[in-house]
Amino acid sequence: MWKILTQIARTGQRTEPAPHDALPAASEQIQHELLAILGQALAIRHVDAGSCNGCELEIHALNNPYYNLEGLGIKFVASPRHADMLLVTGPVSRNMAQALRRTYDATPAPKLVVAVGDCGACGGIFGESYASCGGVSTVIPVDVTVPGCPPPPLEILRGILTAVRRCRGSAQGEEAPAAHLIPAKVGTHG
Ligand code: SF4
């Protein structure tokens, strides 16, 4: 016992200090904007249309205590009928194209779509092929794309906020604020 206590005293605390970056300020700003815009929680339905799951890991990280997505009033829901936004990852595999279209159709207006990752933006490394339709906008209209392979959680959060701002801007007849995110092409249905 004495040996363990002296070892603890000798070793000290080895955990890393909490990171000091811009997240708390960005997080607070996003929370205020979302509450001002929506006045309620933002419900997101995530759709994996054919990703490698790399983007999913970053989306999962949004739920950890550091990014604290639920603390911002943003939550993931199981049904598109309960969703304000679709968060779509991956190139759209041809097997998922119809399911994605039906998910989009089931989402109540105004439905926002954020395509996550290079694959969601343009098909990424998978491109278009016999198995892949390419980017999400080839199947459903997209409001914002978040580039990166995979994009970090904060960029995904910014993409979500950009889509919400655009929704507010169009509701008020304003031009949506410019973002460093890739402007989305509105895709064709089909
Ligand atoms: S963008 Fe990269 S991490 Fe995301 S699904 Fe495509 S290959 Fe995977």
Side-chain angles (χ1 to χ4, degrees):
M1 183 68 178
W2 179 246
K3 197 176 161 195
I4 292 174
L5 288 174
T6 50
Q7 188 178 349
I8 289 171
R10 234 188 357 257
T11 306
Q13 196 169 356
R14 288 293 171 91
T15 49
E16 292 176 13
H20 296 287
D21 59 18
L23 181 64
S27 171
E28 209 170 295
Q29 184 205 347
I30 289 170
Q31 184 175 29
H32 284 143
E33 288 206 34
L34 281 171
L35 284 176
I37 294 165
L38 297 169
Q40 61 185 43
L42 177 73
I44 298 177
R45 172 74 172 115
H46 166 236
V47 181
D48 178 350
S51 89
C52 74
N53 278 350
C55 287
E56 274 64 30
L57 292 175
E58 304 301 315
I59 292 172
H60 290 171
L62 284 174
N63 279 319
N64 71 27
Y66 184 63
Y67 293 102
N68 191 24
L69 200 69
E70 294 223 345
L72 298 177
I74 304 172
K75 61 179 181 179
F76 287 93
V77 292
S79 168
R81 297 190 193 285
H82 304 156
D84 306 300
M85 174 184 288
L86 298 180
L87 197 62
V88 189
T89 55
V92 184
S93 70
R94 297 207 184 269
N95 284 344
M96 276 295 291
Q98 190 184 358
L100 180 59
R101 257 182 236 118
R102 290 174 65 177
T103 302
Y104 181 79
D105 291 343
T107 308
K111 36 190 152 196
L112 300 171
V113 178
V114 176
V116 176
D118 288 348
C119 292
C122 63
I125 55 171
F126 301 102
E128 288 186 35
S129 70
Y130 70 93
S132 167
C133 301
V136 176
S137 66
T138 61
V139 178
I140 59 172
V142 170
D143 296 290
V144 171
T145 55
V146 185
C149 182
L154 197 54
E155 291 305 306
I156 299 172
L157 204 51
R158 286 205 174 101
I160 292 169
L161 178 62
T162 302
V164 172
R165 278 179 180 155
R166 285 188 180 175
C167 181
R168 178 184 62 174
S170 59
Q172 296 175 346
E174 297 169 2
E175 186 66 27
H180 66 289
L181 305 162
I182 294 176
K185 282 189 304 188
V186 176
T188 54
H189 291 268

